[in-house]
Amino acid sequence: WTDAVQRCGSATFSVRHLAPTRVVVAVVGEVDALNARDLGRYIERHVRMSKQLVLDLRAVDFASAQAFTALYYVSVHCARRDVDWIIIGSHHVRRLLSICDPDGQLPIVDDLAVGLSRLDHLAQCRYRVAGAG
């Protein structure tokens, strides 16, 4: 079920295509100064044909300030490509975002079910707008 796995520093990135337009990128380990930029590039590479991204960071056991920079980079990339996305984060990721993103601009969700429901809703809204045009 994994299409591509990349070991980078003390983290492993993997991607899985749930549907033709929905991709899951999962990270296990630590996101820090050594691999944060690689994470951003990995996501950029694998989101090309997708309209939705699930970024699964539940297995991240350390997230540095550079991890926030990578998440912000992903946010900009998704906005430019019109990709809806969510983050499912570990305690460490949530703590980082509470400090670096106090206004909650990044789309973090409580769990996978809530996140998939949000993406389904966004897809339906997008379909209605496209169908009306």
Side-chain angles (χ1 to χ4, degrees):
W1 55 275
T2 299
D3 297 334
V5 175
Q6 178 179 336
R7 178 97 178 135
C8 198
S10 53
T12 301
F13 312 145
S14 61
V15 64
R16 181 171 47 139
H17 294 270
L18 293 182
T21 59
R22 185 179 286 172
V23 66
V24 176
V25 172
V27 180
V28 176
E30 300 179 359
V31 181
D32 55 26
L34 295 175
N35 61 13
R37 183 174 293 179
D38 294 317
L39 174 59
R41 289 184 185 139
Y42 182 87
I43 292 168
E44 183 178 22
R45 232 180 8 259
H46 290 287
V47 171
R48 289 184 190 203
M49 303 307 290
S50 299
K51 284 295 171 194
Q52 295 190 327
L53 165 66
V54 175
L55 183 53
D56 185 351
L57 304 180
R58 292 177 289 185
V60 170
D61 50 27
F62 176 79
S64 71
Q66 290 86 356
F68 175 75
T69 303
L71 293 176
Y72 183 79
Y73 174 85
V74 170
S75 180
V76 170
H77 177 75
C78 287
R80 287 184 181 155
R81 292 221 171 229
D82 208 19
V83 172
D84 297 322
W85 73 299
I86 57 163
I87 302 167
I88 309 165
S90 67
H91 165 75
H92 303 284
V93 171
R94 289 179 171 285
R95 184 168 183 273
L96 175 70
L97 292 183
S98 73
I99 296 165
C100 296
D101 185 31
D103 296 331
Q105 297 299 310
L106 295 180
I108 192 151
V109 295
D110 291 333
D111 60 43
L112 182 60
V114 169
L116 293 178
S117 177
R118 180 183 294 179
L119 289 177
D120 289 342
H121 177 74
L122 290 169
Q124 287 173 353
C125 291
R126 200 178 287 277
Y127 178 75
R128 276 190 229 121
V129 169

